[in-house]
Amino acid sequence: MPTWIYVPAFAGAIFVLLPLLAIVLRTPWSRFFTLITSEASQEALLLSLRTSGTSTLLCIVFGVPMAVVLARTSFRGQSLLRSLVLLPLVLPPVVGGIALLYTFGRRGLLGETFDVLGVQIAFSTTAVVLAQTFVALPFLVVSLEGALRTAGQKYEVVAASLGAHPTTVFRRVTLPLVLPGLASGAVLAFARALGEFGATITFAGSLQGVTRTLPLEIYLRRETDAQAAVALSLVLVVVAVLVIGFARQGKGHL
Amino acid sequence: MKRTLPTILATSLLLATALAGCGSGSDAGGGDGGTTLTVYAAASLTSTFEDIAEEFESTHDGVQVEFNFAGSSDLVAQIQEGAPADVFASADEANMAKLTGADLQGAEPMAFASNTLQIAVPPGNPAGVETFQDLAGAGLNLVVCAPEVPCGAAAQSVAASAGVELSPVSEEQSVTDVLAKVTSGEADAGLVYVTDVIIAGDEVEGVEFPEASAAVNVYPIAPVADSANADLAREFVDLVLAQVGQTILQDAGFAAAP
């Protein structure tokens, strides 16, 4: 490795770390605990953790099979399908929110169906979970598909040749092999869901305890109390650092 | 070959600051000979202030008016952090008070327009909202602004003076967000300003209600202290207050300042 490479590497690191330092420096420490323990803050944090957790579960339930299909099969149009499924990665979240609105909204593609069932998704916590799952799912699929391809099919072939049922192979061989990849994918998905803002505010609305997650609360708080917004931002940073730290502890390849 | 860590660190820091500096030049003035007047104005003033700027540029050779349209509290926060604004037009007096509180006004703020609330409903008014009292109806998807933003504060005081308890399904960040929820049909009704209903055209219908007079939102404007174009800034403020500016504003549905 050439020595000069340290220069841009450090520059990049400083570019990321300096703004975080700025938040810490601007945090109103004397009021910090009052600010983050207010009812609105608590409800926003709990709602964020609850919805992000649910979204991560949904990502696992749907993302693992998606990754397996993408990694273990080949068919015409597969790469196009992959690009489309991964689209939320590059799509501005607001666009995602609009797309969800036209799908699950009252006048959306599926809106009438839900209406008949007596389910209203708009302005509910379900809408928050949908928005978060939509933006977080590709993170899990991408990292798991990579892990599956790296792991290869050797052991699966051997297990199958010894007479194991495909489901057994999947459960006893494939999943344990890619568990670190799955864990880091799930952490990424959780982190993305936690930070989700644009799709939520476009699609779900903003009401304390129902749809106003921590990022929305921070954005709203800036209107009247910029210091409170800074304090809550720090909470979000700390939660994110904890999540990533936890994942690294768990041997995840992050 | 061997480089010391401090050298590397110093070079990195330089690079990082250079990187951070990339974006900051864009507001700072044209640089192609002409003068740029930078106006920070509330988002609800977008179309009217663009028209007023056209008038201003036509009488001021070589002057270009550039805008930063956003929520008033965002704008005032940016000015407090040193953003290069020459004029600040706020959608409410509270945010202008933040500017004067920080002693950043170049002259006494002047009220130049006012706005009142109206009920916006999707075309055809599917929920049949006729009065302000109807907004409290059970099962109605009502969307308002959060009390933290001016339109929400206005909604709150109207509701209080009318003695109506509102239970909205969402308290949005801005009046634009409220309007979007109504135009998309997600909400049965939303509380927005008269001017927003006019801008939205056929996408929504407006329902007037007499209780709206309990909260008249006043728009103040002021030049910003230490502006490099103090004279131009004052002239722009004058134009907004003059007949030309007032006509443009009132055509868009704003009422005269009280």
Side-chain angles (χ1 to χ4, degrees), chain B residues 47-110:
Chain B
S47 63
T48 49
F49 266 44
E50 273 169 356
D51 288 349
I52 293 174
E54 228 166 88
E55 293 285 339
F56 190 76
E57 284 167 0
S58 71
T59 54
H60 292 76
D61 245 3
V63 175
Q64 192 149 11
V65 181
E66 270 191 14
F67 285 108
N68 180 7
F69 292 114
S72 303
S73 61
D74 276 344
L75 294 174
V76 82
Q78 287 166 15
I79 297 173
Q80 282 174 335
E81 295 293 327
D86 296 312
V87 176
F88 174 51
S90 170
D92 68 342
E93 289 169 307
N95 280 301
M96 185 55 90
K98 288 187 204 167
L99 190 85
T100 53
D103 211 16
L104 284 169
Q105 78 281 19
E108 200 57 33
M110 301 285 285

Side-chain angles (χ1 to χ4, degrees), chain A residues 11-231:
Chain A
I14 289 171
F15 181 60
V16 173
L17 293 177
L18 215 51
L20 293 181
L21 179 70
I23 281 196
V24 175
L25 292 179
R26 278 292 187 96
T27 303
W29 293 108
S30 56
R31 297 166 58 212
F32 185 71
F33 283 100
T34 339
L35 288 174
I36 65 164
T37 51
S38 78
E39 198 195 322
S41 310
Q42 293 288 309
E43 283 202 51
L45 178 62
L46 285 178
L47 180 70
S48 268
L49 293 175
R50 208 152 42 89
T51 51
S52 303
T54 314
S55 312
T56 309
L57 280 179
L58 285 174
C59 285
I60 292 173
V61 169
F62 295 105
V64 172
M66 282 166 75
V68 172
V69 169
L70 286 174
R72 292 289 187 259
T73 63
S74 63
F75 49 87
R76 267 173 69 94
Q78 194 202 25
S79 61
L80 179 69
L81 182 71
R82 178 188 293 113
S83 311
L84 288 177
V85 167
L86 301 186
L87 206 56
L89 270 183
V90 289
L91 217 56
V94 179
V95 178
I98 294 174
L100 287 170
L101 195 60
Y102 289 150
T103 314
F104 297 101
R106 277 163 124 191
R107 291 194 199 151
L109 276 179
L110 306 176
E112 299 224 340
T113 319
F114 284 112
D115 238 15
V116 171
L117 297 171
V119 181
Q120 194 198 310
I121 291 182
F123 309 119
S124 69
T125 308
T126 313
V128 178
V129 173
L130 285 179
Q132 290 175 345
T133 309
F134 183 78
V135 296
L137 187 58
F139 283 87
L140 188 126
V141 175
V142 165
S143 52
L144 188 58
E145 195 200 342
L148 281 164
R149 286 185 183 277
T150 314
Q153 284 181 278
K154 270 189 312 214
Y155 298 106
E156 294 170 10
V157 172
V158 171
S161 73
L162 293 173
H165 189 268
T167 304
T168 315
V169 176
F170 176 70
R171 209 164 44 83
R172 304 285 300 272
V173 180
T174 315
L175 273 188
L177 263 180
V178 296
L179 208 56
L182 175 60
S184 67
V187 166
L188 277 178
F190 183 83
R192 179 65 190 86
L194 197 64
E196 167 38 45
F197 174 79
T200 311
I201 206 164
T202 321
F203 172 54
S206 173
L207 192 68
Q208 184 177 331
V210 182
T211 50
R212 189 173 294 152
T213 55
L214 200 49
L216 270 67
E217 175 71 22
I218 291 172
Y219 194 61
L220 180 63
R221 210 57 89 72
R222 283 171 58 250
E223 294 287 338
T224 45
D225 188 352
Q227 286 196 330
V230 174

